[in-house]
Amino acid sequence: MQTARYGVDHAGPHQTPETEADYETLIRDGCVVLHGLVSAEQCAAIKAQAQRLIGQTGRNPFEGLNTQRVYNVLAKTRLLDDLIIHPRVLALLDRLFEPNYLLSQAQLINIRPGEAAQSLHTDDGFYRIPRPRPPLGAATIFAIDAFTETNGATRIAPRTHQLPTGERPGDDETFPCVMPAGSAVFFLGTLWHSGGANRSLQDRLAFTGQYCEPWLRPQENFFLEVPRETARTLHPDLLRLMGYSVHAPFMGMVDGMHPLRTLE
Ligand SMILES: O=C(O)CCC(=O)C(=O)O
């Protein structure tokens, strides 16, 4: 099934001057805050686009009855691509997971004034393998609006990524991830966290990307969501994350061939 043009994929490893320190903090605390990833202009453009895309509020307390989510963002805007494949993010993913790790989901989350705190959870808990264990996923949450003590900043429970199955932190073990617009928190799928209560008078807009090992089922089905004509225009790293890759020996094949052939 391998061809001269498309073989098994081995992207990376990406490396930035900050990678070693970022990774050390991540492995110790289960999370690391990455500052200055998105410019003020990009944040403003994302916010304007979000206002066009955002609609109804959530369907249950976990989605947030006063929270608006935009799903399937890859079919709706190109403004978030750079956040999903930011080199500082890919550099950490390269160290955590096997090559050809996947994007699991991507969404905009707008927590409106009056929203209650979300329940504490982990993002890879639906892969029902007993803990403690290595993370099977990881996530970013980018502050598009500045995250403050009162506007619903993500609540993080540091160093809870090693807790065994059946143990969870108390609310008093969490802290609000206060950070300026353009920064992001990167955390392991095993870390306990939640969206915060918004006790301010302003919305809190965030973008989140979740990633997983290449041999797990992602939460979104990007092949059905993103039309082929759109896929043809995307950055190779983004295509790989969407599943346009072959993880050895042949995971991801289409009709015995590399999935990129379907875009030719
Ligand atoms: O919006 C946030 O700060 C976190 C949301 C979250 O963890 C989730 O919806 O799974």
Side-chain angles (χ1 to χ4, degrees), residues 70-256:
V70 181
Y71 294 104
N72 191 13
V73 294
L74 289 181
K76 298 176 182 168
T77 175
R78 296 275 61 80
L79 290 176
L80 301 166
D81 296 4
D82 288 350
L83 282 59
I84 296 170
I85 58 170
H86 194 287
R88 271 180 86 182
V89 171
L90 295 186
L92 290 175
L93 293 168
D94 283 344
R95 278 155 187 75
L96 285 174
F97 301 132
E98 291 185 37
N100 307 308
Y101 50 80
L102 298 166
L103 186 65
S104 183
Q105 67 156 295
Q107 60 178 276
L108 288 159
I109 305 179
N110 191 44
I111 299 186
R112 308 200 69 195
E115 180 61 282
Q118 191 185 35
S119 57
L120 281 171
H121 60 279
T122 60
D123 279 347
D124 69 5
F126 47 80
Y127 301 123
R128 298 187 185 283
I129 299 174
R131 299 167 52 115
R133 55 161 168 74
L136 301 170
T140 55
I141 298 186
F142 285 81
I144 305 302
D145 289 319
F147 280 15
T148 70
E149 295 265 354
T150 57
N151 76 353
T154 309
R155 294 198 74 88
I156 297 281
R159 304 192 181 189
T160 56
H161 54 301
Q162 303 284 17
L163 285 181
T165 299
E167 277 186 36
R168 52 185 302 152
D171 288 341
D172 57 344
E173 291 170 72
T174 68
F175 78 94
C177 192
V178 171
M179 55 185 174
S183 296
V185 58
F186 183 111
F187 55 91
L188 302 178
T190 41
L191 191 80
W192 288 84
H193 68 281
S194 74
N198 189 344
R199 299 185 305 277
S200 78
L201 299 176
Q202 273 88 42
D203 289 3
R204 186 231 67 175
L205 182 64
F207 169 70
T208 181
Q210 290 189 27
Y211 307 82
C212 65
E213 287 279 17
W215 34 268
L216 286 169
R217 182 175 184 174
Q219 295 165 80
E220 278 184 72
N221 186 327
F222 298 107
F223 300 112
L224 289 178
E225 287 184 338
V226 181
R228 279 189 205 178
E229 56 273 21
T230 304
R232 283 190 190 99
T233 68
L234 300 181
H235 190 286
D237 278 338
L238 187 54
L239 280 176
R240 176 176 56 84
L241 284 167
M242 289 163 61
Y244 286 90
S245 63
V246 169
H247 185 59
F250 28 64
M251 272 184 260
M253 66 178 167
V254 177
D255 202 9

